[in-house]
Amino acid sequence: MRSTNFTRVSEFVFVGLSDLPGVQLPLFLLFLYIYLISLAGNLLIVLLIIVDGSLHTPMYMFLSNLAGLDVFYSSVTSPRLLSDFFSDSKAIAVHHCITQFFFFFSFICIELYLLAAMSYDRYIAICHPLHYIAIMHPKICAQMVSAAWIVGFLTSLIHTLCINRLDFCGPNVINSFFCDLPQLFLLSCTDTFINILVMFLVGIIMGSGAFSMTLIPYIRIVRTIMGIHSHHGKLKAFSTCTSHLTVVFIFYGTLVSTYLRPSPTSSSSGDRLVSVMYTVVTPLINPIIYSLRNKDLKAALRKSLHRIGIF
């Protein structure tokens, strides 16, 4: 039951990463550098895949979507984080806060399903190479990508609608630098049992579904690779999966530590460090991992630089 004897707050106030004056400028420069490199790296991957015909394959179609998604993903939180370093008031209107959460959580869910689609792509490429072109048809790939975006937005919409049932009547300080479910639950003066139940149910149903679709193909991949007699053949097959697996472990590890745990009673600096990892650092790590270990992308970059006379 909602209580009517309270005054709703109209805005929240972020604590930010640090309130020490001496570290504001170094932190601002650090996160500005990370954000710009993240934008440049992901946009470069998207551009290379678009302009280079040799990269017009299902794997790179998924990768271009992942890179484009990381541009949106980091842009939901990083610009606000940067502006707050030199802002006297770190206030954000409640409806703006909920909007930020909607897009932020949408992009998390979309990435989960894109990673699952990329696992399936690797499974077909390694376990059924002769049927790869027929199975991973461009139309099928486009449908998989569209489904990831649609399901991601719908999943986030469920949580957003549940947040709208909550009342916030003080305190209004968010011990973080962006709006997320755990922090909003802490500030609500409405019983959050339904929200927490929905979070766990949706997490178990949708999250475990995405995780299963990511993990099961790799079980089959490992079995297939172990059946390869050539040591060189095994290494070559594993090398096509290591970049994707690294991204999967990092992404799922930070999400589990944030969402699939008991409801917090307070928000600590450790929570903020985890938040930094999956909101700011992960979009930077993805292009680094894929570009450093991908010969096709490096060859496409050299070709593009040669065309414009730089290399």
Side-chain angles (χ1 to χ4, degrees), residues 252-280:
Y252 271 94
T254 53
L255 289 185
V256 168
S257 65
T258 301
Y259 295 109
L260 296 184
R261 63 177 180 176
S263 178
T265 56
S266 63
S267 185
S268 66
S269 57
D271 296 326
R272 277 178 276 170
L273 290 177
V274 172
S275 298
V276 167
M277 183 65 187
Y278 74 86
T279 59
V280 180

Side-chain angles (χ1 to χ4, degrees), residues 16-285:
L17 290 180
S18 174
D19 56 358
L20 299 176
V23 300
Q24 296 298 307
L25 180 58
L27 285 177
F28 171 81
L29 294 175
L30 173 63
F31 284 101
L32 176 62
Y33 176 76
I34 292 175
Y35 179 55
L36 292 178
I37 294 298
S38 175
L39 286 182
N42 284 297
L43 288 174
L44 179 61
I45 289 176
V46 173
L47 183 61
L48 287 175
I49 293 173
I50 291 175
V51 301
D52 195 305
S54 65
L55 300 179
H56 292 175
T57 63
M59 181 179 74
Y60 291 107
M61 176 185 178
F62 293 129
L63 180 56
S64 65
N65 270 270
L66 182 64
L69 179 67
D70 280 337
V71 171
F72 297 131
Y73 181 55
S74 60
S75 296
V76 172
T77 57
S78 291
R80 174 67 199 233
L81 169 63
L82 293 170
S83 67
D84 280 346
F85 278 120
F86 301 105
S87 175
D88 294 330
S89 173
K90 297 180 175 63
I92 182 173
V94 171
H95 62 281
H96 289 165
C97 181
I98 295 176
T99 301
Q100 183 191 53
F101 163 77
F102 169 75
F103 285 105
F104 172 75
F105 200 74
S106 293
F107 297 143
I108 287 180
C109 296
I110 294 167
E111 184 150 344
L112 289 176
Y113 286 101
L114 282 179
L115 291 174
M118 295 173 76
S119 291
Y120 181 73
D121 173 76
R122 292 299 83 206
Y123 161 70
I124 299 299
I126 294 175
C127 301
H128 303 284
L130 298 180
H131 300 93
Y132 181 78
I133 296 177
I135 296 175
M136 299 305 293
H137 189 274
K139 184 178 180 180
I140 300 298
C141 295
Q143 291 174 346
M144 293 172 68
V145 169
S146 299
W149 284 80
I150 292 172
V151 173
F153 279 119
L154 288 178
T155 302
S156 182
L157 181 62
I158 292 173
H159 288 293
T160 304
L161 292 176
C162 288
I163 290 176
N164 280 325
R165 66 173 287 276
L166 299 179
D167 291 315
F168 303 96
C169 47
N172 67 336
V173 177
I174 296 179
N175 195 6
S176 183
F177 56 92
F178 74 105
C179 298
D180 202 2
L181 278 180
Q183 289 78 24
L184 292 176
F185 289 170
L186 287 174
L187 297 180
S188 173
C189 52
T190 308
D191 185 4
T192 59
F193 173 77
I194 293 178
N195 295 75
I196 295 174
L197 180 63
V198 169
M199 183 180 73
F200 276 95
L201 288 178
V202 173
I204 291 172
I205 296 172
M206 308 300 288
S208 62
F211 181 72
S212 298
M213 288 188 289
T214 304
L215 179 64
I216 292 175
Y218 273 104
I219 296 176
R220 300 292 301 275
I221 288 172
V222 170
R223 290 177 179 173
T224 300
I225 292 177
M226 295 309 294
I228 300 175
H229 298 293
S230 168
H231 179 68
H232 175 73
K234 289 181 179 179
L235 290 178
K236 185 177 180 181
F238 270 121
S239 68
T240 65
C241 305
T242 52
S243 297
H244 179 251
L245 277 175
T246 303
V247 171
V248 168
F249 284 134
I250 293 173
F251 197 69
Y252 271 94
T254 53
L255 289 185
V256 168
S257 65
T258 301
Y259 295 109
L260 296 184
R261 63 177 180 176
S263 178
T265 56
S266 63
S267 185
S268 66
S269 57
D271 296 326
R272 277 178 276 170
L273 290 177
V274 172
S275 298
V276 167
M277 183 65 187
Y278 74 86
T279 59
V280 180
V281 179
T282 298
L284 171 67
I285 291 176

